[in-house]
């Protein structure tokens, strides 16, 4: 069976949701696996255990971004108008592509064009994500007359799938006729501080705080932050910061989930992957305010029940003025960790949806 998995490159959260399910699925059934994504193969291979063919293309764009949290609404609106200008022809061309690739089944996170094309081609297809572009598009553009036909096309594409697996936590998706709610999806890792300290040359007696903004650039003037005794910041190596209390976490070969499970806290933006993995591995989290993003309220409400978290303003993140918030999180009693039930639930749904498995 040839399974095509379409993974959005709009951040790393879509991969973080999809890869554990693929790994579970491939352990149960032999597959010819193709992954279509604009994410680099090296990034995909860190999460996907099975062999796969990589098709370096994108069938969705989500939104044009100024940075990790700020949407370029005008540019995004133009992209959607362009994308949907010849929508029937676009769907037909995608269906021809699927047929030429001899795709037997499709899993999409969270593109909708592949689902519409699969329905036209007669190929079994399932969507899966904590969010969808129909609800997000409507949130920003519903009041504009030009957007209504586009929204109907996006929603119809999602509803053409055999199922849409809404991962917990996530948007409600009440308009999704084939919505199926599954539990949280996250990778787990043991807490291995000694190994991390040796790999990254860290003082094991220090507190370690990783800053990860979800795979989309977000400049932070961390070099200007005041130093805090006993605290080390872990940041991407391409920030090129040389300071004794700041270390790159990705210059050495270390799995991000293993790193996350060993640190004392994470600073991030609202997004599924880091929120879910922090909660499920018991790691406190500080998140940047993002009130305009529709998913934020649902992610935060879930994290407040299942983890230790607090919100940061932009000024706090810019100035590094949040050490009291970190210390308050460390004083809190950790709640019971969420059960990572979504992986097996999603894999079971896919097996039921794809008869050839």
């Amino acid at each position: 069976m040839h399974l095509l998995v379409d993974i959005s490159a709009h951040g790393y959260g879509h991969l973080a949701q999809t890869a554990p399910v693929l790994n579970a699925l491939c352990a149960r059934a032999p597959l010819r696996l193709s992954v279509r994504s604009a994410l680099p193969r090296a990034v995909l291979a860190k999460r996907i255990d099975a062999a796969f063919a990589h098709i370096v293309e994108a069938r969705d764009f989500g939104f044009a971004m100024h940075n990790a949290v700020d949407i370029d609404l005008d540019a995004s609106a133009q992209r959607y108008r362009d994308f949907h200008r010849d929508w029937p022809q676009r769907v037909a061309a995608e269906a021809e592509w699927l047929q030429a690739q001899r795709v037997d089944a499709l899993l999409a996170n969270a593109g909708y064009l592949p689902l519409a094309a699969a329905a036209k081609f007669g190929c079994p297809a399932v969507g899966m994500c904590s969010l969808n572009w129909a609800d997000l598009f409507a949130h920003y553009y519903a009041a504009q007359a030009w957007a209504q036909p586009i929204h109907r096309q996006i929603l119809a594409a999602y509803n053409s799938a055999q199922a849409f697996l809404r991962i917990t936590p996530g948007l409600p998706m009440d308009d999704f006729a084939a919505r199926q709610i599954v539990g949280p999806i996250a990778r787990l890792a043991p807490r291995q501080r000694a190994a991390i300290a040796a790999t990254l040359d860290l003082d094991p007696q220090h507190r370690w705080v990783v800053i990860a903004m979800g795979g989309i650039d977000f400049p932070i003037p961390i070099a200007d932050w005041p130093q805090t005794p006993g605290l080390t910041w872990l940041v991407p190596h391409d920030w090129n910061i040389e300071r004794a209390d700041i270390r790159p976490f990705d210059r050495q070969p270390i799995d991000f989930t293993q790193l996350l499970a060993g640190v004392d806290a994470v600073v991030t933006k609202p997004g599924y992957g880091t929120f879910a993995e922090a909660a499920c591995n018991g790691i406190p989290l500080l998140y940047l305010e993002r009130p305009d993003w529709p998913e934020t309220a649902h992610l935060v409400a879930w994290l407040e029940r299942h983890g230790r978290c607090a919100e940061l303003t932009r000024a706090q993140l810019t100035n590094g003025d949040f050490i009291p918030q970190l210390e308050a999180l460390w004083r809190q009693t950790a709640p019971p960790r969420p059960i990572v039930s979504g992986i097996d639930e999603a894999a079971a749904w896919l097996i039921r949806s794809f008869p050839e498995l």
Side-chain angles (χ1 to χ4, degrees):
M1 174 182 170
H2 182 197
L3 174 64
L4 174 67
V5 183
D6 193 275
I7 303 176
S8 174
H10 198 268
Y12 291 154
H14 301 277
L15 173 61
Q17 294 173 352
T18 308
V21 177
L22 288 184
N23 294 337
L25 195 64
C26 291
R28 301 182 187 190
L31 288 173
R32 175 190 165 199
L33 181 63
S34 294
V35 177
R36 182 171 60 184
S37 178
L39 291 173
R41 181 182 181 87
V43 172
L44 297 168
K46 286 180 180 179
R47 295 265 180 174
I48 300 172
D49 296 337
F52 63 92
H54 183 204
I55 302 167
V56 191
E57 297 176 2
R59 290 298 192 268
D60 72 330
F61 60 87
F63 292 99
M65 305 296 296
H66 292 297
N67 54 51
V69 297
D70 296 318
I71 298 171
D72 187 332
L73 290 174
D74 290 339
S76 297
Q78 188 59 51
R79 285 196 187 184
Y80 274 105
R81 286 192 290 264
D82 293 342
F83 196 67
H84 284 262
R85 182 166 291 115
D86 299 311
W87 179 246
Q89 292 85 347
R90 189 178 291 275
V91 173
E94 175 72 356
E96 290 177 4
W97 186 91
L98 292 174
Q99 189 170 13
Q101 298 294 316
R102 300 183 181 276
V103 173
D104 297 309
L106 169 76
L107 173 65
N109 186 331
Y112 55 90
L113 172 61
L115 298 175
K120 184 176 181 64
F121 169 40
C123 172
V126 171
M128 180 179 74
C129 196
S130 60
L131 56 75
N132 68 84
W133 302 127
D135 287 342
L136 297 179
F137 177 87
H139 175 79
Y140 293 106
Y141 301 114
Q144 303 185 37
W146 64 265
Q148 295 172 13
I150 293 177
H151 179 255
R152 287 195 293 269
Q153 289 173 341
I154 299 173
L155 187 59
Y158 281 122
N159 280 326
S160 71
Q162 292 179 257
F164 191 97
L165 307 181
R166 201 302 310 265
I167 304 169
T168 301
L171 296 175
M173 306 192 198
D174 293 331
D175 292 335
F176 280 47
R179 178 195 66 181
Q180 303 293 336
I181 297 176
V182 300
I185 292 177
R187 290 200 304 174
L188 304 178
R191 191 165 174 82
Q192 298 177 319
R193 285 182 65 86
I196 295 171
T199 300
L200 300 182
D201 191 24
L202 300 174
D203 186 336
Q205 303 304 315
H206 281 197
R207 299 271 199 182
W208 307 335
V209 179
V210 64
I211 302 176
M213 302 304 288
I216 301 177
D217 188 42
F218 189 82
I220 300 172
I222 186 173
D224 299 330
W225 290 1
Q227 296 192 32
T228 301
L231 180 61
T232 299
W233 305 101
L234 305 179
V235 304
H237 79 273
D238 59 10
W239 288 13
N240 294 318
I241 300 173
E242 297 291 338
R243 211 172 82 171
D245 65 330
I246 301 173
R247 299 293 178 84
F249 63 74
D250 52 355
R251 185 171 292 165
Q252 302 298 326
I254 186 168
D255 178 81
F256 184 78
T257 306
Q258 292 176 341
L259 172 69
L260 183 67
V263 301
D264 297 284
V266 59
V267 177
T268 189
K269 68 175 179 66
Y272 189 95
T274 307
F275 267 50
E277 291 196 350
C280 294
N281 285 283
I283 304 302
L285 183 147
L286 292 173
Y287 60 91
L288 177 63
E289 60 183 354
R290 197 182 184 188
D292 68 314
W293 186 246
E295 196 185 18
T296 298
H298 302 283
L299 294 176
V300 170
W302 179 83
L303 188 58
E304 287 177 341
R305 293 194 301 272
H306 298 289
R308 291 168 286 169
C309 65
E311 183 182 68
L312 297 180
T313 67
R314 290 214 178 190
Q316 287 176 306
L317 187 60
T318 297
N319 300 325
D321 182 23
F322 53 84
I323 301 304
Q325 284 81 358
L326 273 175
E327 293 174 342
L329 290 183
W330 290 329
R331 288 193 296 269
Q332 291 179 18
T333 300
R337 299 181 189 182
I339 297 173
V340 184
S341 61
I343 298 173
D344 288 338
E345 290 168 356
W349 266 106
L350 294 177
I351 289 173
R352 288 196 293 270
S353 301
F354 300 153
E356 292 192 34
L357 279 176

